Amino acid sequence: MYVIKLDAIGSTNAYLKELTLTSIPQDYTVVVSEHQTNGRGQMGTKWETEAGKNLTVSVFKKILKLNIQEQFYISMCVSLAITETLGKFQIKQLRIKWPNDILSANKKICGILIENIIKNNKMVGSIIGIGLNVNQKFFNDLSQASSLSLLTGVIYSKEEILFEILKQIQFYFDLLESGKKSFIKNKYENQLFRMNKPSTFKLNNDGTLSGIIKGIDNVGKLIIWTEDEILRTFDLKEIKLLY
Ligand code: BTN
């Protein structure tokens, strides 16, 4: 494992992405920064955190055996690696909000941004960006955000948590590479937030939808049993869970 530690950078994901423009980095190249000035979130959002308090890290993983349709397995492996890690640090009520937000007690404590590198229609690698709120105590305007410290009162060593995350990421990618796909999918669905519970969703084309999350399909789309008793699948751009 090759770890690059920085004081400040625009975005650790962007840093790794730039590296991949010239060559394929070593497997498990890790970039961790105390501060990001241009942190990126899902769907073009910004990821802003207090300098020095949280984990902002990206990992480059070579992807050899996965085809493009299976890329959601990367999301599942990383989400499971994070919940496994946080469980070891006694964080309770952990859930994965589809596709890959990590919640504790219904509050978001970790966001994941996965950017896959595809060449000639083949998966080559994945840049796995993780933003874990660790010791930050105040979140302006983010009523649904929390941190490990806010939840437990403990001040954590970011290094210790990062070490465990990296260990768990390797564990889940080893499982994936050894073909344990249904094990991974089952475990992911078992931790899915609001699985089998009546929920309301905001649809992209305005309007709302009531239904029950039944799991994910083979490409990672969310399966919802709707009020009119049909199963429908949605991708990230189409739907947002209201909670
Ligand atoms: C989300 O919107 O929930 C995803 C947030 C991902 C943030 C992490 S922090 C480290 C890495 N570098 C980035 O610019 N973003 C990811």
Side-chain angles (χ1 to χ4, degrees):
M1 194 168 289
Y2 177 54
V3 183
I4 303 168
K5 288 189 178 174
L6 305 168
D7 286 331
I9 187 79
S11 148
T12 54
N13 262 38
Y15 181 99
L16 267 183
K17 207 167 192 179
E18 191 134 341
L19 288 188
T20 64
L21 296 180
T22 45
S23 62
I24 296 298
Q26 199 179 303
D27 206 11
Y28 292 106
T29 297
V30 178
V31 181
V32 55
S33 185
E34 286 297 311
H35 183 44
Q36 288 189 131
T37 53
N38 194 19
R40 308 199 309 213
Q42 276 176 26
M43 310 246 289
T45 57
K46 279 190 184 302
W47 184 258
E48 286 171 3
T49 57
E50 202 181 322
K53 299 270 167 133
N54 304 306
L55 261 179
T56 46
V57 57
S58 299
V59 182
F60 176 80
K61 176 73 192 93
K62 268 190 191 163
I63 304 288
L64 300 171
K65 292 188 188 160
L66 216 56
N67 57 50
I68 293 184
Q69 295 75 17
E70 295 173 314
Q71 40 186 298
F72 196 70
Y73 279 94
I74 299 172
S75 247
M76 291 194 265
C77 283
V78 179
S79 303
L80 290 171
I82 302 288
T83 56
E84 197 78 35
T85 298
L86 297 178
K88 289 197 190 298
F89 285 87
Q90 317 301 328
I91 305 299
K92 308 285 181 223
Q93 292 176 266
L94 288 163
R95 288 283 176 278
I96 303 166
K97 184 165 110 24
W98 178 84
N100 50 22
D101 285 348
I102 309 300
L103 311 185
S104 168
N106 295 351
K107 299 263 186 185
K108 179 166 171 175
I109 51 173
C110 180
I112 298 168
L113 177 65
I114 291 171
E115 298 184 271
N116 290 324
I117 297 158
I118 295 167
K119 287 190 178 148
N120 300 327
N121 244 359
K122 279 209 168 106
M123 296 277 297
V124 180
S126 184
I127 296 169
I128 299 160
I130 300 166
L132 174 65
N133 298 334
V134 182
N135 294 321
Q136 181 168 336
K137 287 277 172 68
F138 302 99
F139 292 89
N140 302 333
D141 311 327
L142 290 173
S143 60
Q144 283 174 323
S146 193
S147 69
L148 305 188
S149 243
L150 265 181
L151 288 163
T152 63
V154 174
I155 305 289
Y156 293 88
S157 150
K158 291 187 289 164
E159 294 247 309
E160 257 177 55
I161 297 176
L162 176 58
F163 181 80
E164 189 62 33
I165 288 177
L166 296 173
K167 194 169 123 193
Q168 295 297 336
I169 285 182
Q170 288 197 19
F171 172 80
Y172 278 100
F173 274 106
D174 286 350
L175 271 186
L176 182 59
E177 275 161 19
S178 63
K180 303 279 187 314
K181 289 186 185 143
S182 49
F183 173 85
I184 292 169
K185 185 167 178 283
N186 284 337
K187 201 159 176 167
Y188 173 92
E189 287 181 328
N190 281 335
Q191 297 187 27
L192 212 48
F193 181 57
R194 298 209 60 81
M195 177 83 164
N196 290 323
K197 291 185 178 159
S199 303
T200 309
F201 305 84
K202 184 177 183 305
L203 295 172
N204 197 21
N205 54 9
D206 270 4
T208 56
L209 171 89
S210 296
I212 299 176
I213 296 178
K214 295 315 265 179
I216 52 161
D217 71 6
N218 286 334
V219 292
K221 287 189 180 183
L222 191 66
I223 304 173
I224 300 176
W225 176 249
T226 64
E227 266 178 331
D228 34 359
E229 303 198 332
I230 44 170
L231 280 179
R232 289 176 64 185
T233 58
F234 296 89
D235 73 24
L236 186 55
K237 287 176 224 79
E238 295 171 318
I239 200 161
K240 185 175 163 31
L241 172 63
L242 299 172
Y243 73 104

